[in-house]
Amino acid sequence: MKHLHIERLLSTPLKRRNLLIGGGFLTGLALTTQWTSRVNAQAKFSNYPFSLGVASGEPYPRSVVIWTRLAPDPLNGGGMPSENIPVQWQVATDEKMTKVVRSGTTYAIPELGHSVHVVVEGLQPARWYWYQFKAGNEISPVGRTRTAPTLGQKIERFRFAFASCQNWEDGYYAAYKHMAKEELELVVHLGDYIYEGAANPTRIRQHNGPEPVTLEEYRNRHALYKTDEDLQAVHAAFPWAVTWDDHEVDNNWADEIPQDPQLQSREQFLARRAAAFQAYYEHMPLRPLSKPEGIDLQLYRRLTFGDLVEFNVLDTRQYRTDQPCDDGIKPRCEEAFNPSATLTGSKQEKWLFNGLDRSKARWNILAQQVVFTQHDWTAGEESAFNVDAWDGYVAARQRILDFLNQRRPSNPVVITGDTHSSWVSDLLADFNNPGSPVVGTEFVGTSITSGFGASDRIEAALPESPWVKYFNGRQRGYVRCDLTHERWRSDYRLLPQSPPTGANVPDPNAPITTAVSFELPNQGTVRQV
């Protein structure tokens, strides 16, 4: 199926460039440039090569990654020749790109889908920069990024937003239109950046082609998502930190096990996993340490911002044991309590504990995918748990709760995606004892577009989980977080309630409101404000 809206938007040079900026502060900067006539790269393209925009991520105090991918025909393999293409880049301290402080040339190579990951070194801590690329005679949009403060530096405030679950076919990215206008230092994406489903002609927006299996198919799927102007605007406005969940590869995959093993051999799935990993790296502003090696990609890592906040970015897919009880939402079987079952693998779990033990940050974040808090989906004597989440890995979760209770790292906060609904919960030392100590807090963010159909069921069961302070499964959006040394504030920025049928976000210009806010005092427990 042809995507006529994309083809029309890419039909003229001016429209092409303005599309890549979208709304917000960057409008009008796309044509700004200080490139000199001495630049001698002569690559020629069949269409505008920066159709997927620009992005930045992984901010350190003196370096940051800037990203783009050359793709004049983004939905058909990229449309690039099978050769290396020189790409120039510049970083400046002003949005008009007149005060250039770093510059260079790199190569977009076919082996990485002509993507570019430049680690810009020698920057100043805790300041904004602007960046731009040039290939041949074509100039990219201008992006904005920010370095982290020096490790241990006292900072008074840090603002970030987190999001997840942006199924293209479930509606428009109205939430990102609003996020691009926020005042943030970082965006954290907690997984399901793409969805792997085949095109459904009944949906408001359709995927391009069948369910992806090959590298080119995953590239095309990522490219489709990257053509969205509101998503591009948020990438161009702030640095990102990303991690994946399941749909970047295959629904509910677990390490080397696909969702439906009977439909593909282990060898077929591992080839698919390797293709998905490479396409993910090619389209994300990740550092070279995350460049995949076959079926492996290093994604868990730590980002620290002065003395205020440290992010432990987790990977709960690549190392997990298979879901217990044949997966699903059901009563827990004995396998769910297996001490050997893991979501993180032992190496990552040890890395997490060591990092929390050493951290000197006021707020210590576990940025991860699936709901950590125990919650029963069914009211009454019967029970049902989502065994794809931490409720299916009870012993592994308890090891973390025990660590938090015994070692007492400063203000542990779990931020979570996956479940397409909003939650705020106390983390108890023992969920089977509601009177046990509170050892942390979990903020679960709803989806950008993806739907949730179990609100009535969960609302009926909530009284049996008194540690849950808030639940909302009927609205899409994101969570904006504002941190000081004295308190953490989470604002649930939500779109109007999803309609009962059809697209979850049918209006690309849907308004957004702060539906509810919660504050977490330093060394305190969370409360609604």
Side-chain angles (χ1 to χ4, degrees), residues 57-65 120-129 146-153 287 302-307:
E58 304 297 290
Y60 289 5
R62 294 195 175 275
S63 67
V64 70
V65 175
V120 184
E121 305 276 6
L123 303 176
Q124 295 300 308
R127 72 160 299 158
W128 290 103
Y129 290 94
R146 184 175 175 86
T147 51
T150 302
L151 184 65
Q153 175 185 344
R287 287 179 178 265
R302 196 167 283 121
L303 295 169
T304 309
F305 296 82
D307 68 340

Side-chain angles (χ1 to χ4, degrees), residues 34-42 88 90 103 105 134 136-137:
Q34 295 299 314
W35 300 112
T36 70
S37 59
R38 292 182 300 226
V39 171
N40 197 27
Q42 296 301 318
Q88 296 170 279
Q90 293 186 153
S103 62
T105 299
K134 182 178 181 181
N137 293 320

